[in-house]
Amino acid sequence: MCSPSATLTVWAGSWLAGNSAPDDVLEALHAWASRHTIAAGDPVTGGRSDLPWSSRGAAAGSGVMPLLKVIREAMSAPQAQLRLVLPVPGDVRGLPVGTEFAADAIEAEEGLLIGAPGAEGTGLIPLWADDDTLQWTIYTVTVPPAAGPDLSLGEAEYTMREAVRDAADALMKLHTTSIGAADSDPRELIEAELAGYARHDYPESIPLRAKRILDTADHVAAILTVAQREPASAPTSASAIGAQENLLRPLWDAIRAARLVAVHAAARG
């Protein structure tokens, strides 16, 4: 799984559909951090709840169960839905414009919107308080309409199959292996990246095609991470940096789009 928000979206959807128990959600989140806390991310949320307002530096509340209570209450509205967001600078589709949630989600590059489009709902963003603690910050937001129709699962799966080849080509362009230097073998580096993703399980109820898409997206992401982190040589000019970004950005965009499609399909059951 690519992020705590994706894990929560998939497992909360399975739980709400009656396919998983609360303890299953708890176990899935604990694969990210041994301790989870919750806090209000804006004064409106802080004023409506007993949660501490995180910007005031107050101690956050503890436990995943209160988080599940927040999700269940937000999903009680007619037409409510769980929606993962994976924004990056330059692509903020799906975010409620001009809100604290949007600003914090861009910084975190992830988040979760819960509620009916066009109505007041709830936003969640995980923030690392320390190496062992993940704080889930809760926001009151107006849930925007979907940015546009998702790809179909078939389209997303085809895109990811193509992306594996394109990512391998990018790796060859950006990375060379020194003979005899085992620690720089790109295959080993990719396997190490994949091992991090593999720590996170999926619910048994996840559609098989959605699982294949997520697994392939993780594979492509692992290749790109190695390509970026271990290039043959660092770009030495603005044009070289731009060329590297232009080579990799479309692949990262494709990964995000495919992950959103697969996670939303899994959350719907």
Side-chain angles (χ1 to χ4, degrees):
M1 203 78 73
C2 64
S3 67
S5 295
T7 293
L8 182 57
T9 305
V10 169
W11 280 97
S14 178
W15 165 61
L16 290 168
N19 296 318
S20 298
D23 285 348
D24 296 326
V25 185
L26 181 68
E27 184 177 351
L29 290 178
H30 278 174
W32 285 101
S34 59
R35 183 169 182 262
H36 292 259
T37 62
I38 57 175
D42 56 62
V44 173
T45 305
R48 290 180 177 178
S49 67
D50 294 329
L51 295 174
W53 182 14
S54 61
S55 66
R56 294 175 179 168
S62 180
V64 173
M65 291 307 174
L67 182 63
L68 295 184
K69 181 175 181 290
V70 168
I71 293 173
R72 184 180 287 282
E73 290 175 351
M75 285 294 290
S76 65
Q79 308 301 317
Q81 56 188 233
L82 294 165
R83 189 192 306 168
L84 175 68
V85 292
L86 298 173
V88 294
D91 185 0
V92 296
R93 288 173 294 178
L95 294 182
V97 178
T99 62
E100 292 183 66
F101 173 84
D104 291 346
I106 293 170
E107 183 176 353
E109 296 190 354
E110 63 175 292
L112 176 59
L113 287 167
I114 313 168
E120 186 177 272
T122 298
L124 298 174
I125 297 176
L127 302 170
W128 288 99
D130 56 50
D131 290 344
D132 301 315
T133 305
L134 197 58
Q135 176 179 292
W136 292 90
T137 310
I138 302 173
Y139 304 77
T140 299
V141 296
T142 297
V143 179
D150 284 339
L151 298 171
S152 69
L153 286 176
E155 290 170 329
E157 188 170 23
Y158 175 79
T159 298
M160 283 298 94
R161 285 202 302 265
E162 293 291 299
V164 171
R165 181 195 63 200
D166 294 341
D169 290 343
L171 179 63
M172 291 182 64
K173 291 178 181 178
L174 297 175
H175 183 91
T176 58
T177 304
S178 301
I179 298 176
D183 59 349
S184 65
D185 185 340
R187 291 169 298 183
E188 293 183 2
L189 297 172
I190 291 167
E191 288 176 2
E193 290 293 325
L194 285 172
Y197 290 121
R199 294 189 302 111
H200 305 286
D201 294 329
Y202 303 111
E204 291 184 1
S205 58
I206 187 173
L208 291 179
R209 176 170 270 181
K211 184 179 185 301
R212 287 199 303 268
I213 292 168
L214 291 171
D215 287 341
T216 307
D218 290 346
H219 188 190
V220 177
I223 295 172
L224 295 185
T225 299
V226 171
Q228 285 181 307
R229 192 178 61 208
E230 305 286 343
S233 60
T236 56
S237 67
S239 61
I241 293 173
Q244 179 172 318
E245 290 180 349
N246 290 337
L247 179 65
L248 300 181
R249 187 185 303 114
L251 292 169
W252 282 117
D253 290 344
I255 289 170
R256 288 203 321 278
R259 281 172 166 166
L260 289 171
V261 171
V263 166
H264 291 157
R268 290 191 299 267

